mmCIF file with all atom_site columns, all heavy atoms in Angstrom:
data_model
loop_
_atom_site.group_PDB
_atom_site.id
_atom_site.type_symbol
_atom_site.label_atom_id
_atom_site.label_alt_id
_atom_site.label_comp_id
_atom_site.label_asym_id
_atom_site.label_entity_id
_atom_site.label_seq_id
_atom_site.pdbx_PDB_ins_code
_atom_site.Cartn_x
_atom_site.Cartn_y
_atom_site.Cartn_z
_atom_site.occupancy
_atom_site.B_iso_or_equiv
_atom_site.pdbx_formal_charge
_atom_site.auth_seq_id
_atom_site.auth_comp_id
_atom_site.auth_asym_id
_atom_site.auth_atom_id
_atom_site.pdbx_PDB_model_num
ATOM 1   N N   . LEU L 1 267 ? -1.907  -2.151  2.997   1.00 96.00 ? 1720 LEU L N   1
ATOM 2   C CA  . LEU L 1 267 ? -3.033  -1.780  2.164   1.00 96.00 ? 1720 LEU L CA  1
ATOM 3   C C   . LEU L 1 267 ? -3.796  -0.611  2.735   1.00 96.00 ? 1720 LEU L C   1
ATOM 4   O O   . LEU L 1 267 ? -4.248  0.259   1.988   1.00 96.00 ? 1720 LEU L O   1
ATOM 5   C CB  . LEU L 1 267 ? -3.977  -2.959  2.014   1.00 96.00 ? 1720 LEU L CB  1
ATOM 6   C CG  . LEU L 1 267 ? -5.217  -2.812  1.161   1.00 96.00 ? 1720 LEU L CG  1
ATOM 7   C CD1 . LEU L 1 267 ? -4.841  -2.591  -0.336  1.00 96.00 ? 1720 LEU L CD1 1
ATOM 8   C CD2 . LEU L 1 267 ? -6.127  -4.025  1.307   1.00 96.00 ? 1720 LEU L CD2 1
ATOM 9   N N   . ARG L 1 268 ? -3.884  -0.565  4.056   1.00 94.00 ? 1721 ARG L N   1
ATOM 10  C CA  . ARG L 1 268 ? -4.675  0.491   4.713   1.00 94.00 ? 1721 ARG L CA  1
ATOM 11  C C   . ARG L 1 268 ? -4.131  1.889   4.456   1.00 94.00 ? 1721 ARG L C   1
ATOM 12  O O   . ARG L 1 268 ? -4.876  2.866   4.510   1.00 94.00 ? 1721 ARG L O   1
ATOM 13  C CB  . ARG L 1 268 ? -4.695  0.233   6.219   1.00 94.00 ? 1721 ARG L CB  1
ATOM 14  C CG  . ARG L 1 268 ? -5.555  1.191   7.062   1.00 94.00 ? 1721 ARG L CG  1
ATOM 15  C CD  . ARG L 1 268 ? -5.585  0.863   8.538   1.00 94.00 ? 1721 ARG L CD  1
ATOM 16  N NE  . ARG L 1 268 ? -6.365  -0.345  8.776   1.00 94.00 ? 1721 ARG L NE  1
ATOM 17  C CZ  . ARG L 1 268 ? -5.871  -1.482  9.174   1.00 94.00 ? 1721 ARG L CZ  1
ATOM 18  N NH1 . ARG L 1 268 ? -4.554  -1.661  9.334   1.00 94.00 ? 1721 ARG L NH1 1
ATOM 19  N NH2 . ARG L 1 268 ? -6.625  -2.511  9.422   1.00 94.00 ? 1721 ARG L NH2 1
ATOM 20  N N   . LEU L 1 269 ? -2.870  1.997   4.074   1.00 92.00 ? 1722 LEU L N   1
ATOM 21  C CA  . LEU L 1 269 ? -2.297  3.285   3.744   1.00 92.00 ? 1722 LEU L CA  1
ATOM 22  C C   . LEU L 1 269 ? -2.861  3.874   2.452   1.00 92.00 ? 1722 LEU L C   1
ATOM 23  O O   . LEU L 1 269 ? -2.746  5.057   2.159   1.00 92.00 ? 1722 LEU L O   1
ATOM 24  C CB  . LEU L 1 269 ? -0.781  3.207   3.615   1.00 92.00 ? 1722 LEU L CB  1
ATOM 25  C CG  . LEU L 1 269 ? 0.009   2.730   4.807   1.00 92.00 ? 1722 LEU L CG  1
ATOM 26  C CD1 . LEU L 1 269 ? 1.510   2.642   4.537   1.00 92.00 ? 1722 LEU L CD1 1
ATOM 27  C CD2 . LEU L 1 269 ? -0.265  3.650   6.008   1.00 92.00 ? 1722 LEU L CD2 1
ATOM 28  N N   . VAL L 1 270 ? -3.469  3.018   1.589   1.00 94.00 ? 1723 VAL L N   1
ATOM 29  C CA  . VAL L 1 270 ? -3.993  3.461   0.288   1.00 94.00 ? 1723 VAL L CA  1
ATOM 30  C C   . VAL L 1 270 ? -5.491  3.402   0.238   1.00 94.00 ? 1723 VAL L C   1
ATOM 31  O O   . VAL L 1 270 ? -6.147  4.332   -0.174  1.00 94.00 ? 1723 VAL L O   1
ATOM 32  C CB  . VAL L 1 270 ? -3.368  2.564   -0.834  1.00 94.00 ? 1723 VAL L CB  1
ATOM 33  C CG1 . VAL L 1 270 ? -3.895  3.002   -2.179  1.00 94.00 ? 1723 VAL L CG1 1
ATOM 34  C CG2 . VAL L 1 270 ? -1.872  2.597   -0.778  1.00 94.00 ? 1723 VAL L CG2 1
ATOM 35  N N   . VAL L 1 271 ? -6.084  2.250   0.638   1.00 94.00 ? 1724 VAL L N   1
ATOM 36  C CA  . VAL L 1 271 ? -7.549  2.073   0.635   1.00 94.00 ? 1724 VAL L CA  1
ATOM 37  C C   . VAL L 1 271 ? -7.940  1.337   1.870   1.00 94.00 ? 1724 VAL L C   1
ATOM 38  O O   . VAL L 1 271 ? -7.151  0.673   2.484   1.00 94.00 ? 1724 VAL L O   1
ATOM 39  C CB  . VAL L 1 271 ? -8.041  1.306   -0.635  1.00 94.00 ? 1724 VAL L CB  1
ATOM 40  C CG1 . VAL L 1 271 ? -7.810  2.146   -1.901  1.00 94.00 ? 1724 VAL L CG1 1
ATOM 41  C CG2 . VAL L 1 271 ? -7.368  -0.032  -0.732  1.00 94.00 ? 1724 VAL L CG2 1
ATOM 42  N N   . ALA L 1 272 ? -9.235  1.420   2.221   1.00 94.00 ? 1725 ALA L N   1
ATOM 43  C CA  . ALA L 1 272 ? -9.743  0.712   3.356   1.00 94.00 ? 1725 ALA L CA  1
ATOM 44  C C   . ALA L 1 272 ? -9.747  -0.792  3.178   1.00 94.00 ? 1725 ALA L C   1
ATOM 45  O O   . ALA L 1 272 ? -10.131 -1.258  2.132   1.00 94.00 ? 1725 ALA L O   1
ATOM 46  C CB  . ALA L 1 272 ? -11.193 1.182   3.637   1.00 94.00 ? 1725 ALA L CB  1
ATOM 47  N N   . PRO L 1 273 ? -9.238  -1.552  4.132   1.00 95.00 ? 1726 PRO L N   1
ATOM 48  C CA  . PRO L 1 273 ? -9.220  -3.038  4.063   1.00 95.00 ? 1726 PRO L CA  1
ATOM 49  C C   . PRO L 1 273 ? -10.670 -3.504  4.296   1.00 95.00 ? 1726 PRO L C   1
ATOM 50  O O   . PRO L 1 273 ? -11.563 -2.684  4.570   1.00 95.00 ? 1726 PRO L O   1
ATOM 51  C CB  . PRO L 1 273 ? -8.297  -3.410  5.192   1.00 95.00 ? 1726 PRO L CB  1
ATOM 52  C CG  . PRO L 1 273 ? -8.279  -2.299  6.172   1.00 95.00 ? 1726 PRO L CG  1
ATOM 53  C CD  . PRO L 1 273 ? -8.570  -1.038  5.350   1.00 95.00 ? 1726 PRO L CD  1
ATOM 54  N N   . PRO L 1 274 ? -10.909 -4.804  4.179   1.00 96.00 ? 1727 PRO L N   1
ATOM 55  C CA  . PRO L 1 274 ? -9.907  -5.929  4.006   1.00 96.00 ? 1727 PRO L CA  1
ATOM 56  C C   . PRO L 1 274 ? -9.571  -6.220  2.599   1.00 96.00 ? 1727 PRO L C   1
ATOM 57  O O   . PRO L 1 274 ? -10.199 -5.735  1.631   1.00 96.00 ? 1727 PRO L O   1
ATOM 58  C CB  . PRO L 1 274 ? -10.646 -7.122  4.644   1.00 96.00 ? 1727 PRO L CB  1
ATOM 59  C CG  . PRO L 1 274 ? -12.035 -6.828  4.269   1.00 96.00 ? 1727 PRO L CG  1
ATOM 60  C CD  . PRO L 1 274 ? -12.255 -5.372  4.382   1.00 96.00 ? 1727 PRO L CD  1
ATOM 61  N N   . ALA L 1 275 ? -8.476  -6.934  2.424   1.00 97.00 ? 1728 ALA L N   1
ATOM 62  C CA  . ALA L 1 275 ? -8.093  -7.442  1.126   1.00 97.00 ? 1728 ALA L CA  1
ATOM 63  C C   . ALA L 1 275 ? -9.031  -8.555  0.688   1.00 97.00 ? 1728 ALA L C   1
ATOM 64  O O   . ALA L 1 275 ? -9.504  -9.326  1.538   1.00 97.00 ? 1728 ALA L O   1
ATOM 65  C CB  . ALA L 1 275 ? -6.675  -7.924  1.112   1.00 97.00 ? 1728 ALA L CB  1
ATOM 66  N N   . ASP L 1 276 ? -9.352  -8.678  -0.593  1.00 96.00 ? 1729 ASP L N   1
ATOM 67  C CA  . ASP L 1 276 ? -10.048 -9.853  -1.038  1.00 96.00 ? 1729 ASP L CA  1
ATOM 68  C C   . ASP L 1 276 ? -9.302  -10.609 -2.136  1.00 96.00 ? 1729 ASP L C   1
ATOM 69  O O   . ASP L 1 276 ? -9.829  -11.592 -2.675  1.00 96.00 ? 1729 ASP L O   1
ATOM 70  C CB  . ASP L 1 276 ? -11.454 -9.455  -1.593  1.00 96.00 ? 1729 ASP L CB  1
ATOM 71  C CG  . ASP L 1 276 ? -11.380 -8.459  -2.733  1.00 96.00 ? 1729 ASP L CG  1
ATOM 72  O OD1 . ASP L 1 276 ? -10.336 -8.394  -3.402  1.00 96.00 ? 1729 ASP L OD1 1
ATOM 73  O OD2 . ASP L 1 276 ? -12.407 -7.760  -2.938  1.00 96.00 ? 1729 ASP L OD2 1
ATOM 74  N N   . ARG L 1 277 ? -8.055  -10.158 -2.408  1.00 97.00 ? 1730 ARG L N   1
ATOM 75  C CA  . ARG L 1 277 ? -7.253  -10.869 -3.421  1.00 97.00 ? 1730 ARG L CA  1
ATOM 76  C C   . ARG L 1 277 ? -5.741  -10.767 -3.045  1.00 97.00 ? 1730 ARG L C   1
ATOM 77  O O   . ARG L 1 277 ? -5.315  -9.700  -2.651  1.00 97.00 ? 1730 ARG L O   1
ATOM 78  C CB  . ARG L 1 277 ? -7.458  -10.204 -4.784  1.00 97.00 ? 1730 ARG L CB  1
ATOM 79  C CG  . ARG L 1 277 ? -6.560  -10.714 -5.927  1.00 97.00 ? 1730 ARG L CG  1
ATOM 80  C CD  . ARG L 1 277 ? -6.710  -9.878  -7.134  1.00 97.00 ? 1730 ARG L CD  1
ATOM 81  N NE  . ARG L 1 277 ? -5.786  -10.333 -8.201  1.00 97.00 ? 1730 ARG L NE  1
ATOM 82  C CZ  . ARG L 1 277 ? -5.176  -9.514  -9.057  1.00 97.00 ? 1730 ARG L CZ  1
ATOM 83  N NH1 . ARG L 1 277 ? -5.323  -8.210  -8.949  1.00 97.00 ? 1730 ARG L NH1 1
ATOM 84  N NH2 . ARG L 1 277 ? -4.391  -10.060 -9.963  1.00 97.00 ? 1730 ARG L NH2 1
ATOM 85  N N   . LEU L 1 278 ? -5.100  -11.900 -3.085  1.00 98.00 ? 1731 LEU L N   1
ATOM 86  C CA  . LEU L 1 278 ? -3.619  -11.921 -2.898  1.00 98.00 ? 1731 LEU L CA  1
ATOM 87  C C   . LEU L 1 278 ? -2.968  -12.829 -3.942  1.00 98.00 ? 1731 LEU L C   1
ATOM 88  O O   . LEU L 1 278 ? -3.432  -13.932 -4.192  1.00 98.00 ? 1731 LEU L O   1
ATOM 89  C CB  . LEU L 1 278 ? -3.279  -12.467 -1.478  1.00 98.00 ? 1731 LEU L CB  1
ATOM 90  C CG  . LEU L 1 278 ? -1.856  -12.710 -1.143  1.00 98.00 ? 1731 LEU L CG  1
ATOM 91  C CD1 . LEU L 1 278 ? -1.018  -11.375 -1.175  1.00 98.00 ? 1731 LEU L CD1 1
ATOM 92  C CD2 . LEU L 1 278 ? -1.663  -13.432 0.167   1.00 98.00 ? 1731 LEU L CD2 1
ATOM 93  N N   . VAL L 1 279 ? -1.891  -12.311 -4.554  1.00 98.00 ? 1732 VAL L N   1
ATOM 94  C CA  . VAL L 1 279 ? -1.178  -13.082 -5.576  1.00 98.00 ? 1732 VAL L CA  1
ATOM 95  C C   . VAL L 1 279 ? 0.235   -13.226 -5.142  1.00 98.00 ? 1732 VAL L C   1
ATOM 96  O O   . VAL L 1 279 ? 0.885   -12.165 -4.853  1.00 98.00 ? 1732 VAL L O   1
ATOM 97  C CB  . VAL L 1 279 ? -1.262  -12.465 -6.954  1.00 98.00 ? 1732 VAL L CB  1
ATOM 98  C CG1 . VAL L 1 279 ? -0.462  -13.318 -7.987  1.00 98.00 ? 1732 VAL L CG1 1
ATOM 99  C CG2 . VAL L 1 279 ? -2.678  -12.240 -7.438  1.00 98.00 ? 1732 VAL L CG2 1
ATOM 100 N N   . LEU L 1 280 ? 0.815   -14.420 -5.116  1.00 98.00 ? 1733 LEU L N   1
ATOM 101 C CA  . LEU L 1 280 ? 2.194   -14.697 -4.848  1.00 98.00 ? 1733 LEU L CA  1
ATOM 102 C C   . LEU L 1 280 ? 2.735   -15.341 -6.114  1.00 98.00 ? 1733 LEU L C   1
ATOM 103 O O   . LEU L 1 280 ? 2.614   -16.592 -6.264  1.00 98.00 ? 1733 LEU L O   1
ATOM 104 C CB  . LEU L 1 280 ? 2.344   -15.557 -3.604  1.00 98.00 ? 1733 LEU L CB  1
ATOM 105 C CG  . LEU L 1 280 ? 1.741   -15.002 -2.339  1.00 98.00 ? 1733 LEU L CG  1
ATOM 106 C CD1 . LEU L 1 280 ? 1.884   -16.002 -1.160  1.00 98.00 ? 1733 LEU L CD1 1
ATOM 107 C CD2 . LEU L 1 280 ? 2.326   -13.617 -1.942  1.00 98.00 ? 1733 LEU L CD2 1
ATOM 108 N N   . ASP L 1 281 ? 3.337   -14.575 -6.964  1.00 98.00 ? 1734 ASP L N   1
ATOM 109 C CA  . ASP L 1 281 ? 3.770   -15.041 -8.291  1.00 98.00 ? 1734 ASP L CA  1
ATOM 110 C C   . ASP L 1 281 ? 5.265   -15.362 -8.222  1.00 98.00 ? 1734 ASP L C   1
ATOM 111 O O   . ASP L 1 281 ? 6.114   -14.473 -8.002  1.00 98.00 ? 1734 ASP L O   1
ATOM 112 C CB  . ASP L 1 281 ? 3.508   -13.918 -9.298  1.00 98.00 ? 1734 ASP L CB  1
ATOM 113 C CG  . ASP L 1 281 ? 3.675   -14.337 -10.709 1.00 98.00 ? 1734 ASP L CG  1
ATOM 114 O OD1 . ASP L 1 281 ? 4.184   -15.463 -10.990 1.00 98.00 ? 1734 ASP L OD1 1
ATOM 115 O OD2 . ASP L 1 281 ? 3.330   -13.533 -11.627 1.00 98.00 ? 1734 ASP L OD2 1
ATOM 116 N N   . VAL L 1 282 ? 5.573   -16.637 -8.409  1.00 98.00 ? 1735 VAL L N   1
ATOM 117 C CA  . VAL L 1 282 ? 6.961   -17.129 -8.357  1.00 98.00 ? 1735 VAL L CA  1
ATOM 118 C C   . VAL L 1 282 ? 7.432   -17.361 -9.785  1.00 98.00 ? 1735 VAL L C   1
ATOM 119 O O   . VAL L 1 282 ? 6.695   -17.159 -10.779 1.00 98.00 ? 1735 VAL L O   1
ATOM 120 C CB  . VAL L 1 282 ? 7.104   -18.359 -7.498  1.00 98.00 ? 1735 VAL L CB  1
ATOM 121 C CG1 . VAL L 1 282 ? 6.921   -17.998 -6.032  1.00 98.00 ? 1735 VAL L CG1 1
ATOM 122 C CG2 . VAL L 1 282 ? 6.081   -19.435 -7.897  1.00 98.00 ? 1735 VAL L CG2 1
ATOM 123 N N   . GLN L 1 283 ? 8.669   -17.856 -9.967  1.00 97.00 ? 1736 GLN L N   1
ATOM 124 C CA  . GLN L 1 283 ? 9.195   -18.069 -11.304 1.00 97.00 ? 1736 GLN L CA  1
ATOM 125 C C   . GLN L 1 283 ? 8.526   -19.235 -12.004 1.00 97.00 ? 1736 GLN L C   1
ATOM 126 O O   . GLN L 1 283 ? 8.513   -19.303 -13.223 1.00 97.00 ? 1736 GLN L O   1
ATOM 127 C CB  . GLN L 1 283 ? 10.693  -18.281 -11.188 1.00 97.00 ? 1736 GLN L CB  1
ATOM 128 C CG  . GLN L 1 283 ? 11.493  -17.064 -10.816 1.00 97.00 ? 1736 GLN L CG  1
ATOM 129 C CD  . GLN L 1 283 ? 12.935  -17.352 -10.540 1.00 97.00 ? 1736 GLN L CD  1
ATOM 130 O OE1 . GLN L 1 283 ? 13.272  -18.069 -9.667  1.00 97.00 ? 1736 GLN L OE1 1
ATOM 131 N NE2 . GLN L 1 283 ? 13.800  -16.758 -11.375 1.00 97.00 ? 1736 GLN L NE2 1
ATOM 132 N N   . GLU L 1 284 ? 7.957   -20.180 -11.241 1.00 97.00 ? 1737 GLU L N   1
ATOM 133 C CA  . GLU L 1 284 ? 7.250   -21.339 -11.874 1.00 97.00 ? 1737 GLU L CA  1
ATOM 134 C C   . GLU L 1 284 ? 5.870   -21.382 -11.297 1.00 97.00 ? 1737 GLU L C   1
ATOM 135 O O   . GLU L 1 284 ? 5.532   -22.224 -10.472 1.00 97.00 ? 1737 GLU L O   1
ATOM 136 C CB  . GLU L 1 284 ? 8.011   -22.615 -11.538 1.00 97.00 ? 1737 GLU L CB  1
ATOM 137 C CG  . GLU L 1 284 ? 9.415   -22.658 -12.127 1.00 97.00 ? 1737 GLU L CG  1
ATOM 138 C CD  . GLU L 1 284 ? 10.147  -23.938 -11.728 1.00 97.00 ? 1737 GLU L CD  1
ATOM 139 O OE1 . GLU L 1 284 ? 9.489   -24.989 -11.512 1.00 97.00 ? 1737 GLU L OE1 1
ATOM 140 O OE2 . GLU L 1 284 ? 11.408  -23.929 -11.644 1.00 97.00 ? 1737 GLU L OE2 1
#
Side-chain angles (χ1 to χ4, degrees):
L1720 180 66
R1721 186 178 285 111
L1722 299 179
V1723 180
V1724 294
D1729 59 23
R1730 174 189 178 219
L1731 174 65
V1732 181
L1733 304 175
D1734 191 351
V1735 290
Q1736 291 171 297
E1737 299 178 26

